């Protein structure tokens, strides 16, 4: 790796790390004013805990020596002292840490307004250890998903930057935790409105900015051969998804909203993540529109089925992640059903996507119920109604003397 590639790898790592504070702003603006500190702290807690665990043993677990191994040996190079002299390996480890951090942080949006911080931290540590680190090995570290195509005599699974490992993984876990913690005291359409729309827009902007590091970042290992395609696809799919989401809002509610635009942007970013290097820009536009439309429709499902996914992690990350993963079965350059291939690509994409979904959902459900039955995961109804910032953290998001703060 030359000096320029090293510099880009460091920049990409910083961009992806910035996405988690961006997520904190995005989530923080969506909750009520008396829960904004709690919501943002769950993202920063994930940054702190998962970053340390990744260096201690998570990086070791993210690569396997055989196809069907669950994970790598966590104690193979505990603390990463063995790679201390290699810039390339150290930057690779740091880049991987940022993915582990934001994947875990994404889950927190499903349990906004009602989760104990300490319980969340316990969940984050256990889930990242037992789910994210192994799944990263399956997808990128020589595991069964990475080798699925060869095993079945079909095209290899395509997941360039984390449709399965990040978004389906986090979305499935979010659904599980929404079930574990149950509904908020008030759970009905229109009852919970964002308290700070500019904060939501700022968070979405930071996520979009950092996502170029997310998607283009790994190209330093490929001499940046596809950097231009990935950059353009990341831009245009996101733009198209905003249009798709706003179109649905206009039809359903009569008005396109800024929160809808921000949510549409995230759905497009999620959908293009696995496909960014393997579709043409035209197909990236189509993917973005489809993801924006389907995610805008999917966020209503929680009211139909009764699971309180507070900030629509399921509707955006699970749905758009699955859309982007399966879309490759149809339109992946050279291997998609309509772009020179056959059903083989769709078969491996579906196995990988649903395999991660099922594993993450079951694991998160078990971990979540275990925490709920032992130390408790949810605050009391009284604390939820009052607002959990002062109860859990002893702070207020907006301490303006003499002014009444609406919740």
């Amino acid at each position: 790796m030359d000096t320029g590639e090293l510099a880009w790898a460091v920049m990409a790592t910083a961009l992806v790390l910035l996405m988690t504070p961006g997520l904190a702003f995005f989530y923080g603006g969506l909750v009520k004013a008396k829960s904004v500190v709690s919501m943002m702290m769950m993202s920063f807690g994930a940054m702190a805990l998962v970053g340390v665990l990744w260096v201690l043993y998570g990086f070791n677990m993210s690569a396997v020596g055989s196809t069907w191994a669950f994970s790598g040996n966590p104690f193979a190079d505990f603390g990463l002292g063995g790679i201390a002299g290699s810039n390339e390996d150290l930057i690779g480890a740091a880049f991987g840490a940022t993915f582990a951090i934001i994947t875990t942080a994404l889950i927190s949006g499903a349990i906004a307004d009602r989760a104990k911080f300490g319980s969340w931290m316990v969940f984050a540590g256990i889930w990242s250890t037992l789910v994210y680190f192994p799944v990263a090995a399956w997808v990128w570290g020589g595991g069964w998903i990475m080798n699925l195509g060869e095993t079945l005599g079909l095209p290899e699974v395509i997941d360039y930057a984390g449709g399965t490992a990040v978004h389906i993984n986090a979305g499935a876990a979010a659904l599980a935790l929404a079930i574990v913690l149950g509904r908020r005291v008030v759970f009905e359409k229109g009852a919970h409105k964002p308290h700070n729309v500019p904060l939501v827009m700022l968070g979405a902007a930071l996520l979009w900015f950092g996502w170029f590091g997310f998607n283009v970042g790994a190209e330093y290992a490929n001499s940046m051969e596809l950097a231009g395609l990935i950059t353009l696809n990341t831009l245009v799919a996101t733009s198209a998804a905003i249009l798709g989401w706003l179109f649905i809002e206009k039809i359903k509610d009569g008005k396109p909203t800024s929160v809808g635009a921000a949510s549409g942007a995230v759905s497009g970013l999620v959908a293009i993540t696995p496909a960014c290097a393997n579709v043409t820009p035209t197909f990236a536009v189509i993917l973005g529109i489809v993801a924006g439309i389907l995610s805008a429709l999917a966020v209503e499902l929680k009211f139909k089925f009764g699971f309180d996914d507070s900030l629509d992690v399921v509707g955006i990350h699970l749905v758009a992640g699955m859309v982007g993963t399966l879309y490759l079965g149809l339109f992946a350059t050279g291997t998609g059903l309509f772009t020179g291939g056959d059903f083989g690509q769709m078969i491996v994409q579906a196995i990988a996507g649903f395999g991660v979904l099922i594993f993450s959902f079951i694991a998160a459900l078990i971990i979540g119920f275990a925490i709920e039955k032992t130390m408790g995961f949810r605050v009391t109804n009284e604390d939820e109604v009052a607002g959990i910032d002062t109860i859990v953290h002893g702070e207020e998001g907006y301490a303006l003397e003499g002014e009444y703060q609406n919740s």
Side-chain angles (χ1 to χ4, degrees), residues 15-231:
L15 285 170
V16 181
L17 183 63
L18 180 65
M19 290 170 66
T20 302
L23 181 72
F25 285 124
F26 182 73
Y27 280 173
L30 288 170
V31 297
K32 61 184 182 181
K34 294 180 180 180
S35 298
V36 59
V37 173
S38 169
M39 191 70 258
M40 297 182 77
M41 274 295 289
M42 285 198 276
S43 287
F44 276 81
M47 290 179 72
L49 179 61
V50 179
V52 170
L53 296 182
W54 179 264
V55 171
L56 292 179
Y57 58 80
F59 180 69
N60 300 328
M61 294 178 66
S62 68
V64 294
S66 61
T67 298
W68 299 105
F70 179 73
S71 74
N73 179 1
F75 305 108
D77 184 17
F78 193 79
L80 303 185
I83 64 171
S86 170
N87 276 333
E88 184 172 350
D89 289 341
L90 288 169
I91 293 173
F95 187 63
T98 61
F99 276 63
I101 287 167
I102 193 165
T103 303
T104 307
L106 286 172
I107 302 168
S108 64
I111 54 174
D113 295 326
R114 60 199 190 280
K116 297 179 180 178
F117 181 71
S119 300
W120 160 251
M121 292 292 281
V122 172
F123 175 86
I126 297 173
W127 185 87
S128 61
T129 299
L130 298 182
V131 181
Y132 180 79
F133 299 160
V135 171
W138 301 350
V139 176
W140 298 309
W144 70 268
I145 291 177
M146 188 173 182
N147 293 303
L148 182 62
E150 182 180 353
T151 301
L152 299 179
L154 298 172
E156 66 180 23
V157 175
I158 302 172
D159 187 359
Y160 189 82
T164 55
V166 176
H167 299 293
I168 293 174
N169 203 4
L175 177 59
L177 282 197
I179 293 171
V180 170
L181 270 72
R183 304 176 187 179
R184 285 167 289 183
V185 173
V186 178
F187 175 65
E188 58 187 40
K189 188 175 181 180
H192 299 277
K193 295 183 178 180
H195 88 279
N196 191 324
V197 173
L199 207 63
V200 176
M201 300 296 283
L202 172 63
L206 289 173
L207 284 167
W208 197 345
F209 179 69
W211 222 288
F212 288 98
F214 200 76
N215 283 355
V216 189
E219 269 301 290
Y220 71 81
N222 299 322
S223 301
M224 307 301 286
E225 294 177 2
L226 297 174
L229 176 65
I230 296 170
T231 300

Side-chain angles (χ1 to χ4, degrees), residues 307-335:
F307 62 91
D308 190 359
D309 172 21
S310 308
L311 307 185
D312 300 315
V313 185
V314 177
I316 294 176
H317 292 275
L318 180 57
V319 171
M322 188 63 76
V323 168
T325 297
L326 298 180
Y327 186 85
L328 286 160
L330 301 176
F331 300 113
T333 303
T335 59

Side-chain angles (χ1 to χ4, degrees), residues 257-327:
T257 68
S258 56
V259 172
S263 300
V266 176
S267 70
L269 290 165
V270 170
I272 196 60
T273 294
C276 58
N278 295 89
V279 295
T280 64
T282 299
F283 283 122
V285 170
I286 297 171
L287 172 58
I289 292 172
V290 171
I293 290 173
L294 292 181
S295 289
L297 295 171
V299 297
E300 302 292 332
L301 294 177
K302 63 184 180 183
F303 299 110
K304 180 177 181 179
F305 294 107
F307 62 91
D308 190 359
D309 172 21
S310 308
L311 307 185
D312 300 315
V313 185
V314 177
I316 294 176
H317 292 275
L318 180 57
V319 171
M322 188 63 76
V323 168
T325 297
L326 298 180
Y327 186 85

